[in-house]
Amino acid sequence: MDYEVVHTDDVPMTDLSEVEEIPPDLRIRALDEFFDTDAVNLKLWYFEPGEEIQYHAHAEQEELYYVLEGEFSLKLGRSGEEEYVDAGPGTFWVAKPEVGHGHRNVGDEEGAVLAIGAPAVEDPGLDPHGLDEE
């Protein structure tokens, strides 16, 4: 079949606190694994108040984010040029390769963010402050 349709609740939830190799300790729905996508990584991230993905960058992957629920503070930009931006439901942001990005749920309720990354490669987070030295 060339297409698939699924409801979010039918995609298994993974608690990353139970997986030692993968920080941060958040809950996700790995849509890319459910659909077995070839070109993009696709995750739904769930954040309790105060939880975050720390400021990081990727060597190859461009990432697009979309806030579905919650209130977030974003830290965006190259090392030394970071800016903080408030983001609520309906907000998109993008981080190109080697551009630092991170976000924290600053609200009182659970938040959810859709993350789309391409190309679909293993591209662990890098310290953005070390990229200028290379």
Side-chain angles (χ1 to χ4, degrees):
M1 181 167 48
D2 294 333
Y3 65 89
E4 293 182 59
V5 177
V6 67
H7 188 277
T8 303
D9 293 339
D10 294 332
V11 178
M13 181 80 76
T14 301
D15 184 345
L16 294 179
S17 67
E18 299 171 1
V19 183
E20 287 183 32
E21 305 82 40
I22 304 177
D25 291 340
L26 301 172
R27 293 173 300 120
I28 66 166
R29 293 187 194 271
L31 297 161
D32 51 2
E33 293 174 15
F34 188 86
F35 287 123
D36 193 25
T37 60
D38 296 324
V40 297
N41 290 334
L42 184 61
K43 306 276 193 279
L44 272 175
W45 292 86
Y46 296 89
F47 297 81
E48 293 300 324
E51 288 184 325
E52 69 180 319
I53 291 182
Q54 293 188 355
Y55 182 66
H56 67 287
H58 297 283
E60 298 177 59
Q61 199 170 59
E62 181 174 52
E63 290 185 311
L64 174 71
Y65 296 92
Y66 180 72
V67 178
L68 297 163
E69 300 173 350
E71 298 297 326
F72 290 84
S73 176
L74 316 178
K75 182 177 181 180
L76 303 169
R78 296 191 184 277
S79 176
E81 301 172 6
E82 307 95 347
E83 292 186 37
Y84 290 88
V85 178
D86 293 331
T91 303
F92 280 100
W93 71 95
V94 67
K96 301 268 187 194
E98 298 190 358
V99 175
H101 55 285
H103 50 279
R104 172 190 300 267
N105 180 352
V106 295
D108 296 329
E109 304 288 329
E110 179 182 75
V113 174
L114 177 64
I116 304 166
V121 296
E122 288 293 322
D123 195 355
L126 304 170
D127 178 1
H129 302 299
L131 292 174
D132 292 339
E133 299 168 7
E134 295 176 1

